[in-house]
Amino acid sequence: MSEQRIRKIVILGGGTAGWMTAAALAKFMAPEFCAIELVESEDIPPVGVGEATIPQIQVFNQTLGIDEDDFIRKTRGTFKLGIEFRDWGAVGEHYIHGFGSLGRNMEALAFHHFWCKMQREGKAEPLGRYCLSALAATHGKFMRPIEAGDSPLSTIQYAYHFDAGLYALYLREYAEARGVTRTQGVVRQVQSDPKTGHLTGLTLGDGRFVEGELFIDCSGAQGLLIDKVLGVDFEDWGHWLPCDRAWAVASEPTAPLPSHTVSQAHGAGWQWRIPLQHRTGNGHVFSSAFMEPEEARSVLLNHLETRPVSEPRLLTFRVGKRTSFWEKNCVAIGLSSGFLEPLESTGIHLIQSFIGKLMAFFPDRAFSPVNRRYFNREAHDEYDRIRDFIILHYHATRRADTEFWNYVRTMPVPDTLQEKLVLFQANGYVHKEGNELFSGVSWAEVFIGQGILPERYHPLVDTIPGGEIERRLKHIESVIAQAVDYMPLHQDFISRHGGATTR
Ligand SMILES: Cc1cc2nc3c(=O)[nH]c(=O)nc-3n(C[C@H](O)[C@H](O)[C@H](O)COP(=O)(O)OP(=O)(O)OC[C@H]3O[C@@H](n4cnc5c(N)ncnc54)[C@H](O)[C@@H]3O)c2cc1C
């Protein structure tokens, strides 16, 4: 073993970020190679939200070797095929950003180009009819992909909804079984090396000292290590994403069990509905500059589809990112690294992705600055691209019914987003940057769903006669409809695979 290897990692925080990090590191590092200690305080509860995910989380769970049925059962989870956006482009409109593919690409061109041509001629159905996950979600259906040749049933993509507290507990059991030590206590002081500024240990309220060589800051939005100790700044994006509060409340389960998240737009924000087996998670994300908290609370309660079973809880947040995520020997993961509001369920994904980057650029005790530089560069890029995608939902609207919508509709947006908008508006092209998270299909679904229809379509569309395109679209639509007919109800699928009462 290398003399220079890291021998002790300290993770500060036992929320979703802390336990995801602990579980993933423990999977690959035996205690005799590197000890891992997680410090958390029961007096400082985790944020307790963060219950909707995107399909990439399957990779995380598979890497850990987690059995999906067991996972769904223990986290009281459900399956998710996409997000339905209601009243976003205009009041009365709705669309689903479905996971997976859209239609079928033809002549190497993305499907939406053909759809755009047919839509102008009044010969296309709404876009969601060509997307298996969107149509299945509309009908409350779900199944895992099966071997079915060319059928869309063989490429179903999905994510999960789960209980955040149970997920952290699940990962805690996993991590502790692999040798992670859990230490309970409040961090009162942080020690560092006066020469290098590197962190050396945490002193707890009762005087215990937790020593380490690499520190992972999962202490939540306060960023106890990255901000309070290392003084890393926060880049605030509130001018682009003005929502800064959320009321969260649980209500009775939704029946029949939906297989998608709902995002219902309101006058100064939006409301989520996340279906779990034992309850429905609801929250109203709003901008305090445009709506008073008491009004926002009433809006939430007035729009619940099932009876509340908890008292609404107010959460305050700041949207933006750290100017550096890895500083000295400390890496910020989770809310300590920044926050993008949960519109596209990207918080947990960012945790997963940061863990992946940490593994890719894992340091030894020399802490080569180049590792840190690349980690930071990739992480900044990822945050910025997701930010643009989220801003698009607010900006691409025709709503003019409240001050909030007037603001977001007319505000200047980042150049990177503006260029993408201009390109799509002109001819339906989607520019995907580097390793950006959201696919061309996702961008096209949201552009079109929000009411942005390109002025032209790709010129090569006209190499196929119009009648032939129309025939192909009809065929795709009917294949997808038949596939959805074949799929079981989500409720029935859950009862067989991970319902709390199944064994
Ligand atoms: C309103 C809202 C909705 C969200 N919805 C989604 C969603 O649907 N999907 C999604 O992917 N993400 C969502 N997120 C993001 C998601 O909740 C977070 O990314 C995730 O929970 C990670 O939080 P965390 O572990 O970084 O921090 P926290 O949950 O805040 O955990 C912090 C931990 O640090 C510990 N700690 C802090 N200070 C000390 C100290 N001094 N001593 C000892 N221990 C300490 C605490 O005990 C706690 O264990 C949402 C966030 C918000 C605000």
Side-chain angles (χ1 to χ4, degrees), residues 1-7 213 362-367:
M1 282 195 255
S2 157
E3 279 301 295
Q4 282 285 71
R5 76 173 202 285
I6 301 278
R7 293 158 304 189
E213 291 168 350
F362 202 77
D364 59 19
R365 275 179 286 142
F367 282 98

Side-chain angles (χ1 to χ4, degrees), residues 413-425 429 431 433 447:
V413 297
D415 292 345
T416 39
L417 173 59
Q418 186 58 34
E419 283 166 13
K420 275 191 157 130
L421 262 165
V422 170
L423 183 69
F424 191 84
Q425 268 164 333
Y429 295 175
H431 170 63
E433 305 210 20
F447 274 130

Side-chain angles (χ1 to χ4, degrees), residues 11-210:
I11 299 170
L12 172 58
T16 306
W19 285 115
M20 280 179 78
T21 308
L25 295 181
K27 162 81 185 170
F28 297 107
M29 291 180 214
E32 53 281 9
F33 178 82
C34 177
I36 303 170
E37 183 166 357
L38 183 145
V39 178
E40 67 175 320
S41 164
E42 278 167 12
D43 298 334
I44 307 173
V47 63
V49 281
E51 311 205 310
T53 58
I54 55 175
Q56 285 77 354
I57 192 166
Q58 277 184 53
V59 177
F60 185 79
N61 282 4
Q62 282 160 12
T63 306
L64 262 48
I66 286 174
D67 174 79
E68 195 173 68
D69 284 2
D70 182 60
F71 166 77
I72 288 287
R73 184 179 308 121
K74 291 194 178 139
T75 62
R76 310 300 297 270
T78 64
F79 295 93
K80 170 178 171 184
L81 290 170
I83 306 175
E84 180 181 1
F85 291 93
R86 297 179 181 163
D87 297 337
W88 278 82
V91 173
E93 287 185 2
H94 73 108
Y95 69 96
I96 293 183
H97 169 199
F99 298 142
S101 56
L102 176 64
R104 173 172 282 245
N105 295 351
M106 297 179 244
E107 318 297 323
L109 292 185
F111 173 79
H112 71 270
H113 287 289
F114 296 93
W115 180 86
C116 285
K117 175 175 167 126
M118 288 296 108
Q119 196 270 345
R120 283 158 169 238
E121 295 176 11
K123 293 175 183 161
E125 297 295 333
L127 196 63
R129 297 275 282 272
Y130 304 93
C131 172
L132 178 84
S133 46
L135 193 67
T138 307
H139 293 279
K141 300 280 191 92
F142 179 77
M143 65 189 261
R144 295 185 182 117
I146 51 169
E147 294 280 336
D150 225 13
S151 161
L153 292 172
S154 52
T155 55
I156 297 170
Q157 284 199 26
Y158 62 91
Y160 314 113
H161 304 113
F162 48 64
D163 181 312
L166 295 177
Y167 184 52
L169 191 61
Y170 191 88
L171 294 176
R172 175 179 152 189
E173 283 170 7
Y174 179 100
E176 287 186 316
R178 284 160 185 77
V180 171
T181 318
R182 172 178 178 264
T183 299
Q184 239 267 99
V186 178
V187 172
R188 292 282 182 229
Q189 267 191 331
V190 180
Q191 275 65 40
S192 44
D193 181 323
K195 275 212 275 303
T196 61
H198 279 215
L199 308 181
T200 52
L202 313 176
T203 305
L204 308 186
D206 59 7
R208 277 175 297 162
F209 184 64
V210 179

